[in-house]
């Protein structure tokens, strides 16, 4: 299990302990014995062994996701922090409990289980098993429903709503600042879909938080759909639905655990559990499912479609491409499709665009929309992937040298196809890894593209009523906030 590079903020040289700045209080149970007992370690755990040979197993210290998110010290990988409530075993436990309730004639007490699947996860599985993403979606539906899941949904639906609202937010903020970058808190707009980037900014660079897009990520938009829209449709309360998201990234577990996405009234989270692509594949192995040969099942859908679809752009989600297209039309009456912006970003020449690879790195691209008459810049967008480029971006923001109106940010190099929860090639060499990620990206882009507003327009008005995304409910359910974490001095970390 590995979090994004942007979250490994401290030097951890002992896998038992958190970073030097960790402020989580861990209770120590003292005994009256002073008989020279020793600690013994074997494959099953830690034991306190007395001189007479008797041993007592010691309890492992546990630090939860919420502990990490409330702290300014560190966020670590699973080798250093034990995460107990975010894994495929938790999903299996809920399904087992549901099955037990049905067998006892208490089926009405069972929770409805809804699973939403990220397109990046489908692409990773499609590459491993040599099938299309469409086949992956239908086979996942069969496997999960056989296990007892009630609904399996495509999180691309939440992504489309997020794209539409993100574009609207960008235009509002552009107009509020009259297009001036850095003069206030409106521009630039920094994408906030990547929880690794958000966590890094909150803990170390709180000064950039006012520039974050407040629109929810696709995962959390699906959380709002499942726990609010679907709960109402199913005539049940949000806490009677167990929502699992299959995602490309371990950092998504951190996002799901944020207090901003917790319903105090019903004591439930919008996303109860995040299972990574690799964990889902492990679940297949543990349950002896041959995914290469399982039958396909019809897809569940919120928009009366029987197929999965993509949005133009990279595996970061297509935010840059769609928002640039939308803003060009709304602000300057220039019609450039998201597909055209994506093609330009991949090297296709066009008279209305300039593209630059910063330091010849594809993980830092600048895309500028030009005035058709004067050829002067109208909109300057950038894609920044990977922690190294992300640090350079923060330095420019702090020194007010950034000229970007919008930045698509991902903590992982090559964006979400390379998420820490994705499947890995059998060959561990850097070259094989790089090729695997590139192949995953190509697989991700093979789905038919649809304009986001076309797929979600009717749903939005059904959910929010005649005011649509302008309604109070939409603004409440589709937006979030960010919290700078003030560093706390830890006397245990002081070198005397």
């Amino acid at each position: 299990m590995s979090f994004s590079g942007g979250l490994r903020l401290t030097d951890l040289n002992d896998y038992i302990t958190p970073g030097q700045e960790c402020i989580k209080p861990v209770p120590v149970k003292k005994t009256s014995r002073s008989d020279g007992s020793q600690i013994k370690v074997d494959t099953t755990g830690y034991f306190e062994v007395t001189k007479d040979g008797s041993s007592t197993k010691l309890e492992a210290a546990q630090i939860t996701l919420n502990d990490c998110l409330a702290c300014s010290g560190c966020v670590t990988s699973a080798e250093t922090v034990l995460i107990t409530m975010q894994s495929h075993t938790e999903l299996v436990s809920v399904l087992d409990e549901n099955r037990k309730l049905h067998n006892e004639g208490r089926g009405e007490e069972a929770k409805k289980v809804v699973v939403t699947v990220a397109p990046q996860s489908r692409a990773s599985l499609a590459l491993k098993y040599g099938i299309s993403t469409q086949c992956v979606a239908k086979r996942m539906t069969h496997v999960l429903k056989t296990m007892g899941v009630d609904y399996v949904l495509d999180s691309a639906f939440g992504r489309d709503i997020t794209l539409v609202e993100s574009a609207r937010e960008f235009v509002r903020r552009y107009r509020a600042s009259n297009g001036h970058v850095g003069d206030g808190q409106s521009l630039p707009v920094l994408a906030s879909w990547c929880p690794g980037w958000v966590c890094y900014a909150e803990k170390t660079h709180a000064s950039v938080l006012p520039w974050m897009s407040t629109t929810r990520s696709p995962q959390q938009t699906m959380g709002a759909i499942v726990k609010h829209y679907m709960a109402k449709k199913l005539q049940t309360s949000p806490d009677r639905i167990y929502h699992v998201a299959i995602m490309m990234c371990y950092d998504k577990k951190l996002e799901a655990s944020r207090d901003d996405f917790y319903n105090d009234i019903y004591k439930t989270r919008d996303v109860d559990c995040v299972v990574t692509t690799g964990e889902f594949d492990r679940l297949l192995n543990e349950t002896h499912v041959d995914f290469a040969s399982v039958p396909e099942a019809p897809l569940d859908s919120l928009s009366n479609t029987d197929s999965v679809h993509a949005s133009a752009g990279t595996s970061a989600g297509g935010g840059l491409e769609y928002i640039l297209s939308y803003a060009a039309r709304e602000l300057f009456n220039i019609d450039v499709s998201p597909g055209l912006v994506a093609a330009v970003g991949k090297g296709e020449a066009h008279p209305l665009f300039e593209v630059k690879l910063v330091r010849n790195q594809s993980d830092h691209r600048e895309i500028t929309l030009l005035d058709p008459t004067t050829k002067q810049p109208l909109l300057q967008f950038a894609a920044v992937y990977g922690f190294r480029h992300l640090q350079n971006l923060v330095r420019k923001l702090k020194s007010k040298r950034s000229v970007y109106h919008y930045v698509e940010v991902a903590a992982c190099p090559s964006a979400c196809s390379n998420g820490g929860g994705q499947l890995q090639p059998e060959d561990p060499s850097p070259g094989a890894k790089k090729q695997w990620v590139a192949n995953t990206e190509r697989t991700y882009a093979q789905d038919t593209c649809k304009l986001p507003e076309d797929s979600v327009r009717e749903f939005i008005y059904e959910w929010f009523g005649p005011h649509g995304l302008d309604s109070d409910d939409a603004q409440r359910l589709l937006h979030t906030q960010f919290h700078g974490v003030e560093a706390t001095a830890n006397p245990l970390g002081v070198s005397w």
Side-chain angles (χ1 to χ4, degrees):
M1 184 186 292
S2 58
F3 288 89
S4 69
L7 289 180
R8 299 193 196 99
L9 304 179
T10 54
D11 180 22
L12 304 176
N13 55 18
D14 185 335
Y15 77 94
I16 300 174
T17 62
Q20 289 182 345
E21 293 185 26
C22 182
I23 60 174
K24 165 71 174 176
V26 178
V28 178
K29 295 181 181 179
K30 295 184 178 181
T31 65
S32 58
R33 288 201 299 257
S34 57
D35 53 4
S37 59
Q38 298 181 343
I39 302 298
K40 173 187 174 183
V41 182
D42 64 21
T43 57
T44 62
Y46 296 81
F47 297 84
E48 183 179 17
V49 182
T50 63
K51 283 186 175 181
D52 62 11
S54 63
S55 63
T56 303
K57 188 171 183 178
L58 300 177
E59 183 179 350
Q62 295 189 354
I63 299 176
T64 69
L65 290 171
N66 280 337
D67 293 325
C68 287
L69 290 171
C71 160
S72 63
C74 64
V75 174
T76 64
S77 69
E79 288 77 20
T80 55
V81 175
L82 304 175
I83 300 173
T84 60
M85 294 300 292
Q86 294 273 357
S87 71
H88 66 288
T89 57
E90 192 67 19
L91 168 61
V92 172
S93 176
V94 170
L95 294 174
D96 286 345
E97 178 63 21
N98 276 358
R99 196 174 297 112
K100 177 182 176 183
L101 290 171
H102 282 290
N103 291 339
E104 294 175 351
R106 296 187 292 149
E108 70 281 357
E109 299 179 28
K111 291 188 175 183
K112 291 289 185 183
V113 180
V114 180
V115 174
T116 54
V117 183
Q120 296 88 342
S121 294
R122 284 199 306 268
S124 189
L125 289 162
L127 180 62
K128 174 177 178 177
Y129 291 99
I131 55 180
S132 70
T133 55
Q134 180 83 359
C135 289
V136 168
K138 292 183 175 182
R139 292 183 187 185
M140 290 182 78
T141 300
H142 172 85
V143 170
L144 290 166
K145 288 195 171 183
T146 300
M147 293 175 61
V149 171
D150 296 287
Y151 300 94
V152 182
L153 301 173
D154 182 5
S155 73
F157 191 79
R159 176 202 62 206
D160 288 346
I161 294 179
T162 293
L163 285 171
V164 173
E165 182 58 19
S166 294
R168 284 161 40 88
E169 179 192 358
F170 173 80
V171 168
R172 286 195 302 268
R173 290 170 61 166
Y174 183 96
R175 286 172 172 159
S177 66
N178 200 25
H180 295 148
V181 176
D183 289 348
Q185 297 184 349
S186 294
L187 294 180
V189 176
L190 307 177
S192 59
W193 297 9
C194 173
W197 150 242
V198 170
C199 194
Y200 167 68
E202 287 184 324
K203 291 176 180 295
T204 62
H205 300 292
S207 61
V208 309
L209 296 181
W211 293 319
M212 291 283 203
S213 168
T214 62
T215 304
R216 284 190 179 209
S217 72
Q219 171 179 290
Q220 296 309 133
T221 295
M222 285 303 299
I225 291 171
V226 169
K227 290 298 181 85
H228 296 270
Y229 173 84
M230 286 191 69
K232 185 175 181 180
K233 282 289 185 181
L234 296 172
Q235 297 183 327
T236 188
S237 60
D239 59 315
R240 301 306 305 158
I241 297 178
Y242 188 76
H243 178 203
V244 179
I246 297 179
M247 289 285 147
M248 73 303 292
C249 179
Y250 282 102
D251 299 344
K252 286 293 183 181
K253 298 173 186 280
L254 297 174
E255 181 179 33
S257 297
R258 292 175 68 92
D259 288 339
D260 303 279
F261 306 126
Y262 182 78
N263 187 323
D264 286 316
I265 297 175
Y266 290 99
K267 308 301 181 186
T268 186
R269 298 192 180 280
D270 290 344
V271 180
D272 296 289
C273 180
V274 174
V275 175
T276 66
T277 316
E279 287 173 332
F280 175 77
D281 197 52
R282 196 175 310 137
L283 175 62
L284 296 176
N285 292 331
E286 291 173 359
T287 53
H288 309 290
V289 172
D290 181 9
F291 195 67
S293 60
V294 299
E296 299 176 4
L299 300 178
D300 295 322
S301 175
L302 294 167
S303 60
N304 298 318
T305 181
D306 60 353
S307 63
V308 296
H309 68 276
S311 61
T314 70
S315 61
L320 182 151
E321 291 78 9
Y322 181 75
I323 295 171
L324 180 50
S325 170
Y326 181 91
R329 183 173 66 253
E330 292 292 315
L331 298 171
F332 305 106
N333 200 29
I334 297 175
D335 188 11
V336 288
S337 70
L340 174 60
V341 179
V344 167
K346 294 177 181 177
E348 184 176 304
H350 193 280
L352 289 181
F353 288 97
E354 283 184 353
V355 178
K356 177 184 177 182
L357 301 183
V358 179
R359 297 186 182 88
N360 292 320
Q361 296 289 321
S362 60
D363 278 346
H364 190 171
R365 293 177 292 119
E366 298 176 349
I367 300 181
T368 303
L369 176 70
L370 304 176
D371 186 295
T373 304
T374 66
K375 300 302 180 183
Q376 293 301 304
L378 293 176
L379 292 172
Q380 294 179 272
F381 279 38
V384 178
Y385 306 151
F387 189 54
R388 179 162 57 91
H389 297 299
L390 201 154
Q391 289 176 306
N392 292 333
L393 170 66
V394 169
R395 280 194 285 267
K396 283 187 176 182
L397 291 170
K398 287 189 169 184
S399 62
K400 296 187 176 181
R401 292 184 292 115
S402 175
V403 298
Y404 306 135
H405 295 100
Y406 178 88
V407 186
E408 181 176 79
V409 185
C412 293
S414 302
C416 300
S417 286
N418 190 31
Q422 294 283 68
L423 301 177
Q424 302 298 316
E426 294 182 2
D427 182 351
S429 67
K433 167 71 173 177
K434 183 176 181 180
Q435 187 60 50
W436 181 269
V437 172
N439 291 341
T440 305
E441 186 76 20
R442 278 193 290 270
T443 304
Y444 170 85
Q446 287 175 358
D447 290 334
T448 301
C449 290
K450 284 186 179 180
L451 285 174
E453 61 265 33
D454 291 343
S455 66
V456 300
R457 184 180 292 109
E458 292 183 7
F459 178 85
I460 287 172
Y461 286 106
E462 180 188 352
W463 187 9
F464 297 120
H467 295 293
L469 294 177
D470 291 322
S471 69
D472 291 341
D473 280 348
Q475 293 304 301
R476 176 176 58 86
L477 291 173
L478 299 181
H479 287 263
T480 186
Q481 54 190 336
F482 306 99
H483 317 277
V485 180
E486 184 178 349
T488 304
N490 178 12
L492 296 178
V494 175
S495 298
W496 298 96

